């Protein structure tokens, strides 16, 4: 390159040039965030919000492209991509983690949090902090714990008592804590990812599902439901994580901004879920779907039996129960 003065310019590295110019040496970079939820889902909306805030707060150095709806594959594939550094960020269910380390399944303990407020306390508590730090064991950096709406049950045919669920094919997430609960209820839990669920329910391949009000409404499952059981029986945690490899390549000051922005936005989302659940429940009721409210006692011995077996499998469960005051 020749300067206007006629001298040949030295080919200096960009970082050094920036330093000499007195500007921030951190480079602008594009990153990718993968998640399985569709564009309309609150997780995806929050991811988009995070991307916009980060671009602004880092003056364009951290540009996150949100890849929603499982465009990059299922969570197993996205976890591999995070570990290899070909994906930078993810917002995940706990499926891949809980199936490797049962402690990551403890937020799914039945009735551990009666509402979004109680769930928020657990997701920002000491046990949650330890689990967040533990993401390093997966080659990840833990950013924040979030959640979706509390779990409910949508059924093709109404169930008057829990005995009516026996033998029914109930869709769950492929997650040991959910599967165990449904086995203890005598049902036939049928693991199925979200994209297959609508046609499986419409065609009668499954007779019901464990889901939240948001999905029941937005994905249209309510159209084929003869009853929705308002049980609030589990929370559904979400882990926001970064690839450990990508993380090391990010400037320390930008890493601090990323930690802060994820923590703030994900916490705001958890708070919002109280309202989101109420809004979608009202839509479902207004559409004429019968909603039956049940409590912990309705599920009989399944809850206590679940805790008995999971206290052995997941050593951190007892500490979470103590935090929850159970
Ligand atoms: C589900 O599979 O039920 C689910 C996944 C992500 C967010 C909410 C629900």
């Amino acid at each position: 390159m020749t300067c206007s003065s006629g001298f040949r310019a030295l080919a200096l590295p960009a970082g050094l040039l920036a330093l000499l110019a007195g500007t921030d040496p951190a480079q602008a970079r594009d990153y990718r965030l993968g998640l399985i939820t569709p564009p309309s889902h609150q997780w995806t909306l929050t991811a988009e919000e995070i991307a916009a805030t980060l671009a602004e707060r880092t003056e364009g150095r951290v540009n996150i492209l949100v890849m929603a709806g499982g465009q990059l594959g299922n969570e197993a594939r996205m976890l591999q991509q995070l570990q290899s550094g070909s994906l930078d960020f993810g917002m995940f269910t706990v499926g891949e983690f809980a199936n490797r380390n049962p402690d990551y399944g403890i937020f799914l303990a039945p009735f551990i949090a009666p509402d979004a407020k109680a769930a928020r306390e657990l997701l920002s508590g000491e046990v949650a902090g330890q689990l967040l730090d533990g993401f390093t064991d997966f080659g990840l950096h833990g950013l924040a714990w979030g959640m979706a709406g509390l779990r409910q049950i949508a059924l093709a045919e109404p169930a008057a008592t829990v005995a009516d669920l026996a033998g029914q094919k109930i869709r769950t997430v492929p997650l040991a804590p959910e599967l165990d609960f449904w086995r203890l209820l005598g049902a036939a839990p049928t693991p199925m990812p979200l994209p297959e669920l609508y046609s499986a329910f419409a065609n009668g391949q499954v007779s019901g599902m464990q889901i939240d009000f948001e999905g029941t409404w937005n994905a249209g499952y309510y159209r084929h439901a003869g009853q929705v059981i308002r049980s609030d029986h589990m929370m559904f945690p979400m882990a926001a994580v970064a690839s450990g490899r990508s993380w090391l390549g990010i400037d320390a000051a930008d890493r601090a901004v990323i930690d802060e922005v994820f923590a703030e936005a994900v916490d705001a989302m958890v708070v919002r879920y109280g309202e989101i659940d109420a809004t979608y429940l009202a839509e479902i009721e207004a559409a004429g779907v019968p909603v039956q409210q049940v409590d912990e006692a309705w599920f009989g011995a399944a809850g206590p039996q679940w805790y008995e077996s999971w206290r052995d499998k997941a050593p951190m469960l007892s500490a979470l129960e103590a935090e929850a005051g159970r």
Side-chain angles (χ1 to χ4, degrees), residues 36-37 41 43 93 148 151 171 173 194 210-212 236:
I36 55 165
T37 49
H41 192 277
W43 290 7
T93 72
R151 302 305 257 179
R171 175 270 172 173
V173 174
L194 279 180
Q210 167 156 298
I211 193 74
D212 48 38
F236 194 71

